[in-house]
Amino acid sequence: MANTLSTYSLRHKYFKSNIQGVLRNALVAEKICRVDRTELKTIENPYITASSPTIQAVAGTYSVNALTVTDDALSVDDEVVNATHVFDFEMKTSNFDLMADFLDDLMYQVAKKVDQFVLNKVLDVGTGTYTTPAGGFTTAANIPVIMANLVSKWGGFASGVASNPFVVIENTDLVGFAQAQVASGFSYADSALNNGFMTNYMGVDIYVVRSGTFTTATLGTLSATNSGHRLAGLGNLATFASPRGMAYEEKAVTGKTGREVVAYCLVGAKVWNPHLPLFIDITLA
Amino acid sequence: MAKEKAKKEIDAATADREARWQDFLAAAEKQNPVKFAEKKAKGVFNTIPDSFL
């Protein structure tokens, strides 16, 4: 007959000195955008409206065009905040450094929300459109068709204009992409089979975010209607402003022991007017 | 009694979510009228998605 042993008479071991964090998502916005962390409220970038030349039989006479310069600005209108309070008795009696572990999660969640905002904002304002064949990215046979159509959106520009194309897909789209990669060509397929998902296809960089990143919801001042949509565009053309980046404060508050800790970040995102057609709102059929 | 109360609470929450959805659609249309019209024509807004809390 086995003995009855109390919980704390048994040996317990802690896996590590930190509290386990949540699974972290890939953050993509900084990889596809130009990032500005200087202290600013707006970034001004006026643009010229294209002039119209006249082609005529040789005459030597002409009339002048009045050119138009239009203002275009990125405005930092949103902030992401995330806070908690750790009481003194919690800090004293915990087996972990609660302030450090909690702050780590607070800051990651802020970064994740900023990333989601920027991706949805850029997708919302881009004027290029494309609807995939039925099945979207999850059907392997669609991948070459989709990618070829996207590439065609950026063709015909002067050298250097349409550089660094990218597409941002969700992890559920990998089903078709991965199958298409291992069935493509010889060395490309071998690389995909040996090394896993390839992050470039047909010259287009592929970024993968978690399902639900493109969303239909209110994100600060943005009313995003992007559920079932994906983003394609050109790298370093969209701008993401985050004055002084991520910050945090620890503070004593009236009426409570311990410390309140808050992580926060200002954010604004913009696609400059002449570049709007280069950002493609992909609708999954 | 408890069931009726629970049903009333659910109905109120649903009505509240639908009201917020209508406000959301109004804001989305004002923000980007061209895209909104395209998506509306495709029936994208006919049902409230799960991501809309």
Side-chain angles (χ1 to χ4, degrees), chain A:
Chain A
M1 192 175 77
N3 300 309
T4 302
L5 300 175
S6 68
T7 302
Y8 290 102
S9 67
L10 302 171
R11 185 178 298 128
H12 295 269
K13 177 182 172 182
Y14 285 91
F15 187 73
K16 52 181 182 171
S17 59
N18 301 106
I19 302 174
Q20 271 194 88
V22 298
L23 291 177
R24 299 205 163 174
N25 295 355
L27 301 180
V28 162
E30 292 198 14
K31 295 176 186 170
I32 62 172
C33 294
R34 177 191 298 256
V35 181
D36 190 317
R37 295 197 204 283
T38 54
E39 295 162 20
L40 57 96
K41 174 61 179 175
T42 63
I43 301 177
E44 304 292 338
N45 192 13
Y47 63 93
I48 294 175
T49 303
S51 55
S52 297
T54 302
I55 182 165
Q56 60 192 21
V58 173
T61 56
Y62 59 86
S63 55
V64 297
N65 293 322
L67 296 192
T68 303
V69 177
T70 308
D71 284 338
D72 200 10
L74 177 158
S75 182
V76 176
D77 290 331
D78 289 89
E79 63 179 3
V80 183
V81 288
N82 199 9
T84 191
H85 187 93
V86 183
F87 290 96
D88 182 71
F89 71 85
E90 291 175 328
M91 285 193 260
K92 281 181 176 152
T93 57
S94 173
N95 198 51
F96 301 94
D97 184 344
L98 291 181
M99 288 293 282
D101 291 341
F102 285 1
L103 180 58
D104 189 46
D105 183 70
L106 291 177
M107 292 179 78
Y108 162 70
Q109 298 296 341
V110 169
K112 181 179 152 195
K113 185 58 72 174
V114 166
D115 202 72
Q116 184 185 37
F117 172 84
V118 172
L119 288 174
N120 278 277
K121 177 82 175 186
V122 171
L123 178 52
D124 188 67
V125 299
T127 57
T129 57
Y130 172 67
T131 301
T132 68
F137 290 97
T138 58
T139 300
N142 289 345
I143 301 301
V145 174
I146 294 170
M147 299 307 286
N149 274 275
L150 292 178
V151 167
S152 75
K153 303 278 185 185
W154 303 310
F157 290 106
S159 173
V161 171
S163 309
N164 308 313
F166 69 84
V167 63
V168 183
I169 60 174
E170 292 187 347
N171 61 290
T172 48
D173 302 323
L174 282 177
V175 172
F177 241 116
Q179 291 180 68
Q181 287 185 350
V182 300
S184 304
F186 294 104
S187 61
Y188 186 87
D190 280 347
S191 287
L193 284 165
N194 288 329
N195 304 314
F197 180 72
M198 305 282 281
T199 55
N200 187 288
Y201 187 96
M202 216 184 272
V204 179
D205 289 331
I206 305 163
Y207 295 98
V208 185
V209 295
R210 291 299 294 176
S211 176
T213 297
F214 294 109
T215 186
T216 294
T218 301
L219 300 173
T221 59
L222 175 67
S223 298
T225 55
N226 296 326
S227 187
H229 291 250
R230 305 290 182 262
L231 171 65
L234 300 178
N236 288 324
L237 286 189
T239 301
F240 153 28
S242 179
R244 288 214 193 168
M246 181 93 64
Y248 74 92
E249 293 174 2
E250 282 180 36
K251 45 189 138 179
V253 296
T254 306
K256 291 183 183 177
T257 64
R259 288 275 192 275
E260 181 177 284
V261 59
V262 55
Y264 55 94
C265 185
L266 296 170
V267 61
K270 176 81 177 177
V271 177
W272 304 113
N273 188 281
H275 301 148
L276 289 172
L278 301 175
F279 286 83
I280 316 298
D281 183 340
I282 304 169
T283 303
L284 303 181

